[in-house]
Amino acid sequence: MRRILLAMTLSAMPATAWAASSAGGPPVEGMPQLAFGHPVQGPLLIGQIVWQVVIFFSLFLLLAFVALPKLGAVIENRRQRIESDLEAARAAMQSAEAAIAAQREATQSARTEAQAAVNAAMQAAQQEMDAKAEALNAALAKQIAEAEARIDQGRKSALGAVRQVAGETVEALLSKLGASADAGKVQAAVQREATARGIS
Amino acid sequence: MAKEGKTIDALSQFELSPFLGGFGQAIGFSQSNAFMLLALGLITLFIMAAAARGAMIPGRLQSLGEASYEFIQGMVTEQVGDEGKKYFPFVFAIFMFVLFGNLLGMLPYAFTFTSHIAVTLTLAVIVFVTVTVIALMRHGMHFFSYFFPEGAPVWLAPIIIPVEVISYFSRVVSLSVRLFANMVAGHVMLKVFATFVVLLGSLGAVGPFVAVLPLSVNIALVGFEFLVAFLQAYVFAILTSIYLHDAVHLH
């Protein structure tokens, strides 16, 4: 409504101005734009130029020093705002990327750490197992050696007893046969026979 | 004031009349100047209103103001380069003055001050003088090399220099006559066809039906005139930018 009123006032203004004034003077011959010789039009044409220069200069000054700097500031403001917002967004994106990279790195290092811990534990367990097995082997070997030594000794003593029994049997047989033999010879013969049969 | 005695009077619309009677007569202030003053007020109001809120997301008026600002600024920077930024207000003032002169002339009862050769010539002279002064200030005496291109054979100087000088001065004529002729032609056509409407309309019973033809022509002409109003303002502004380019860069 207000706009319509404004438009009506604006369009009525020149009409009223026109109505309020009349050109007067003799009729204008030819183009009024070139009627510099006409008593009414001539001075008005000259005045038109002078006033135009004044009005245009004022318009230029108003625009150049008042109106356009204001509008330019608004545009510049927005441009800077957009730029700073873009800058902030870019910075946020960069920090997000850095965070992702850090997180990835942390995951990676945690994984390698865990792997190393697993490896170390496995190695330690292996070593312990090896050591235990070795100790067990050593103990077993010792027991085996001892047992072998005992067996050997037992066999030796058993064999010694066999030889003695053999010697005594030989002597007993000989005495039963009525012969006697030197104990040393019997002993040597038994020894010889035992060696020949593989009984040391 | 149009058609006394049933003749087509297309030219009296361009007659000047003193603004507010005797007062205007005394200081030579015609209705043409009143419309210039109105244009000044509207242009300033338009830009100030567009910049008033300074909103981040512009409304319609602010968008329009910013669009015109950036349109002319783009034109000047494109033609002149970055050095042209300081001449932007001048080109903007030229563009808006011509545009509002043309557009105000489209209102009923309004006076089209751009249809006066004195006005367009004055505007062209303002552009010409400004451009020449800028060129002289930037290049000093070297500016006169503009009239004799480097590398041209010296014996051609008697031909080239007058041609260049004439073409330089003819800018004033071409700038002013182009705008003046366009506006006069448009408004004369509008007036002639409007008179046809009235003359045919008074021809008895069939008159009003026949009068529809010139009326429809006039409707088309009004649309065409709005196009011309913008186009001529654009042409004036871009030629000013091109002349500024020559002043800043010398060819």
Side-chain angles (χ1 to χ4, degrees):
Chain A
M1 194 60 219
R2 236 181 44 196
R3 277 179 208 182
I4 297 168
L5 215 72
L6 180 74
M8 276 170 67
T9 333
L10 278 180
S11 53
M13 212 161 68
T16 48
W18 192 296
S21 56
S22 60
V28 182
E29 298 289 321
M31 292 186 86
Q33 288 99 323
L34 302 174
F36 284 94
H38 192 272
V40 179
Q41 296 292 310
L44 282 177
L45 277 170
I46 302 299
Q48 186 191 27
I49 294 171
V50 176
W51 283 111
Q52 184 200 347
V53 171
V54 172
I55 291 167
F56 182 75
F57 193 63
S58 318
L59 173 68
F60 170 69
L61 291 182
L62 268 173
L63 284 179
F65 296 104
V66 184
L68 286 178
K70 268 192 179 164
L71 192 56
V74 170
I75 292 171
E76 181 65 16
N77 236 1
R78 180 181 307 113
R79 201 185 58 74
Q80 274 176 359
R81 169 79 180 276
I82 288 171
E83 212 156 81
S84 72
D85 281 7
L86 271 180
E87 197 63 42
R90 218 169 282 137
M93 202 171 82
Q94 253 171 7
S95 72
E97 262 167 16
I100 287 171
Q103 198 258 346
R104 193 172 295 144
E105 203 170 315
T107 311
Q108 190 67 38
S109 73
R111 188 171 294 147
T112 49
E113 218 166 273
Q115 193 65 47
V118 166
N119 281 350
M122 267 171 70
Q123 216 161 6
Q126 186 73 43
Q127 266 175 356
E128 204 180 338
M129 228 161 70
D130 282 357
K132 270 187 183 159
E134 212 167 310
L136 194 63
N137 277 348
L140 284 175
K142 199 171 151 216
Q143 276 180 358
I144 287 169
E146 275 171 9
E148 272 177 351
R150 259 203 318 275
I151 288 167
D152 206 37
Q153 201 181 356
R155 207 172 70 173
K156 266 188 189 144
S157 66
L159 282 176
V162 165
R163 270 195 296 269
Q164 199 182 342
V165 170
E168 279 169 5
T169 310
V170 167
E171 272 173 28
L173 280 173
L174 282 178
S175 68
K176 279 258 173 83
L177 288 172
S180 67
D182 184 26
K185 274 187 178 169
V186 169
Q187 212 46 251
V190 167
Q191 185 69 44
R192 197 170 51 240
E193 205 58 26
T195 313
R197 290 175 189 228
I199 309 159
S200 58
Chain B
M1 56 277 145
K3 56 232 174 293
E4 287 94 354
K6 296 264 183 198
T7 55
I8 298 174
D9 177 14
L11 290 177
S12 71
Q13 60 170 324
F14 303 119
E15 273 175 29
L16 297 174
S17 56
F19 189 63
L20 299 178
F23 172 70
Q25 183 74 61
I27 57 171
F29 196 89
S30 55
Q31 90 277 39
S32 167
N33 295 126
F35 275 97
M36 290 177 192
L37 213 53
L38 181 64
L40 175 144
L42 288 177
I43 294 165
T44 314
L45 207 68
F46 167 50
I47 299 299
M48 294 296 275
R53 282 202 306 131
M56 271 302 144
I57 300 153
R60 273 178 295 188
L61 183 67
Q62 193 181 338
S63 282
L64 193 61
E66 286 180 7
S68 61
Y69 184 101
E70 283 173 336
F71 173 63
I72 300 296
Q73 195 179 41
M75 180 199 283
V76 175
T77 28
E78 196 177 298
Q79 295 298 330
V80 190
D82 274 341
E83 308 99 307
K85 277 218 172 91
K86 55 176 171 253
Y87 309 124
F88 157 66
F90 177 68
V91 180
F92 192 84
I94 291 274
F95 176 76
M96 281 298 170
F97 191 70
V98 175
L99 180 65
F100 273 71
N102 295 348
L103 287 181
L104 283 176
M106 295 306 295
L107 292 171
Y109 300 107
F111 185 85
T112 321
F113 60 77
T114 43
S115 68
H116 263 245
I117 183 72
V119 173
T120 59
L121 190 68
T122 308
L123 214 52
V125 167
I126 289 172
V127 169
F128 179 82
V129 169
T130 308
V131 165
T132 309
V133 166
I134 287 170
L136 277 171
M137 270 164 56
R138 282 188 76 98
H139 302 287
M141 283 301 118
H142 186 66
F143 160 69
F144 293 101
S145 74
Y146 181 83
F147 299 109
F148 188 70
E150 248 175 276
V154 180
W155 58 271
L156 273 177
I159 303 167
I160 288 178
I161 290 173
V163 167
E164 287 285 334
V165 169
I166 288 168
S167 83
Y168 190 73
F169 278 88
S170 67
R171 287 170 172 187
V172 180
V173 180
S174 72
L175 256 188
S176 57
V177 171
R178 182 182 300 112
L179 177 58
F180 158 72
N182 267 285
M183 297 324 288
V184 169
H187 283 264
V188 166
M189 294 267 279
L190 281 175
K191 190 66 161 228
V192 167
F193 280 97
T195 315
F196 280 164
V197 175
V198 176
L199 290 182
L200 288 173
S202 58
L203 282 181
V206 284
F209 297 102
V210 187
V212 169
L213 286 172
L215 183 65
S216 50
V217 170
N218 236 4
I219 290 169
L221 276 178
V222 168
F224 190 66
E225 270 306 289
F226 273 106
L227 175 74
V228 169
F230 279 98
L231 196 67
Q232 288 306 315
Y234 172 74
V235 166
F236 213 103
I238 199 153
L239 282 174
T240 305
S241 305
I242 289 169
Y243 297 158
L244 277 171
H245 164 90
D246 284 353
V248 172
H249 301 291
L250 290 185
H251 285 294

